[in-house]
Amino acid sequence: MSTKIVVAGGFGAGKTTLVGSVSEIPPVTTEAVMTEASMGHDDLTAIPGKTTTTVAMDFGRLTLEDELIMYLFGTPGQARFWFMWDDIVRGAVGAVVVVDSRRLADCFDAIDYFERNQSIPYIVALNRFDGQLDYTIEQIREALEIDPSVPIVDFDARERRDAGRVLRRLLEYTLSRPKEAELIA
């Protein structure tokens, strides 16, 4: 059985890193070098070392217990590429919204997208940059105005085990929802 999982979030939050860290195949990425054309559009203040960006999508695969294959599709984070989201999300059983707690405003649009598209359950994954979170999970839940039923987990996108734990939590949450559980089965 296979499932499609979407990894979404703001610019530079760690989506490509999550897909790459957990994929059992070399991930397919559409990373492009950032040029002067992005100046004025992409805020690099909190991520000054970032030199590339996803311009279409990322793709990875993870097999769980030989019975479930997860296909991971990472979305681009910049607003100018959001026109692709509906196509990327079509057929997904769930989504992970990756959040950089240093830049909460960057994930508002991704959360709004999944709040409007309620047929796709989502969880929030707080990427621990520099090994820490700037706020507690409850402070972030309040700031993002996320329903208490939506899981929020913290993780390090570079760590395979952490990324796997995020995906496992998404599947548990998705299967706990009666309507979506019927679609997966």
Side-chain angles (χ1 to χ4, degrees), residues 59-73:
F59 174 79
R61 184 184 76 201
L62 179 63
T63 302
L64 301 175
E65 301 177 17
D66 296 328
E67 295 177 15
L68 177 63
I69 298 172
M70 296 173 61
Y71 293 105
L72 308 170
F73 290 81

Side-chain angles (χ1 to χ4, degrees), residues 2-130:
S2 64
T3 62
K4 180 179 184 179
I5 304 294
V6 172
V7 179
F11 170 65
K15 301 174 299 293
T16 299
T17 303
L18 185 156
V19 171
S21 72
V22 77
S23 181
E24 66 194 19
I25 62 170
V28 177
T29 64
T30 58
E31 289 288 293
V33 174
M34 296 178 65
T35 65
E36 289 182 18
S38 71
M39 292 178 135
H41 296 285
D42 302 323
D43 182 5
L44 296 173
T45 307
I47 46 175
K50 187 164 179 62
T51 59
T52 62
T53 188
T54 301
V55 295
M57 69 175 191
D58 300 314
F59 174 79
R61 184 184 76 201
L62 179 63
T63 302
L64 301 175
E65 301 177 17
D66 296 328
E67 295 177 15
L68 177 63
I69 298 172
M70 296 173 61
Y71 293 105
L72 308 170
F73 290 81
T75 65
Q78 296 101 320
R80 63 185 176 276
F81 299 120
W82 287 344
F83 66 91
M84 294 184 266
W85 278 39
D86 287 340
D87 289 330
I88 293 171
V89 168
R90 188 172 293 116
V93 297
V96 175
V97 177
V98 180
V99 174
D100 178 348
S101 67
R102 303 169 302 180
R103 301 176 295 126
L104 291 179
D106 290 355
C107 72
F108 289 165
D109 291 318
I111 289 172
D112 288 347
Y113 180 90
F114 292 106
E115 286 288 324
R116 284 191 311 273
N117 192 346
Q118 293 186 0
S119 64
I120 301 172
Y122 75 96
I123 68 169
V124 172
L126 304 173
N127 193 1
R128 279 186 263 121
F129 285 87
D130 302 320

Side-chain angles (χ1 to χ4, degrees), residues 123-143:
I123 68 169
V124 172
L126 304 173
N127 193 1
R128 279 186 263 121
F129 285 87
D130 302 320
Q132 64 183 21
L133 293 176
D134 290 347
Y135 304 97
T136 68
I137 288 177
E138 286 313 310
Q139 287 172 321
I140 291 171
R141 181 182 300 283
E142 184 177 331

